[in-house]
Amino acid sequence: MEALQVRELTRPEVAAMMKPKVSARQLQEYLNIARKYVPEFNKFNDPTTGRLKGMAKLYECHVPVLQEIRSLAREHTLADIESVFQKRASSKIAGGAGGEESAGGVIRMARSFS
């Protein structure tokens, strides 16, 4: 298995990599969820405004998490997905969640919706 390369990607490139493809605006919604609840996306937080930072760089290692959110968004609302991410993040902080989240395979969330 080939490791993900460390290559900077533009947001339109990442949007085109999603299966199925998404618009840049929709990708921004996925980034907004990831930046709040996935530690690998902390750099996307603007400390001044508390919103999504427009200048943060995307790399290939970010794509699997965004694709997972994309896949879930086909069956659930973004609010539902964000709620599950929020619950997982708070249980992890409280010492609960055990190893389900990781940089490459964040979030096996389908179970959370059943």
Side-chain angles (χ1 to χ4, degrees):
M1 183 183 302
E2 187 176 314
L4 293 178
Q5 297 175 0
V6 181
R7 180 173 74 89
E8 188 177 308
L9 300 168
T10 65
R11 291 182 186 195
E13 285 175 322
V14 173
M17 293 171 79
M18 297 288 101
K19 291 182 175 65
K21 294 177 184 180
V22 298
S23 68
R25 179 173 281 181
Q26 194 64 40
L27 178 67
Q28 184 168 326
E29 293 296 327
Y30 303 156
L31 282 168
N32 201 37
I33 291 172
R35 73 159 178 102
K36 293 177 186 175
Y37 308 109
V38 181
E40 292 79 16
F41 284 79
N42 283 341
K43 69 179 183 176
F44 289 90
N45 285 318
D46 186 323
T48 307
T49 65
R51 301 182 81 188
L52 183 65
K53 185 189 300 182
M55 299 304 289
K57 304 298 182 197
L58 281 165
Y59 296 94
E60 290 181 8
C61 63
H62 293 117
V63 174
V65 173
L66 295 168
Q67 183 61 54
E68 182 74 22
I69 294 170
R70 170 68 182 125
S71 296
L72 291 168
R74 295 185 74 194
E75 297 180 18
H76 307 285
T77 68
L78 290 176
D80 289 340
I81 296 167
E82 185 164 356
S83 175
V84 172
F85 272 76
Q86 186 176 28
K87 288 175 188 172
R88 294 221 174 178
S90 63
S91 70
K92 189 171 186 176
I93 290 170
E100 272 191 74
E101 292 90 37
S102 69
V106 154
I107 0 219
R108 297 287 172 242
M109 297 197 148
R111 286 179 269 159
S112 299
F113 290 107
S114 48

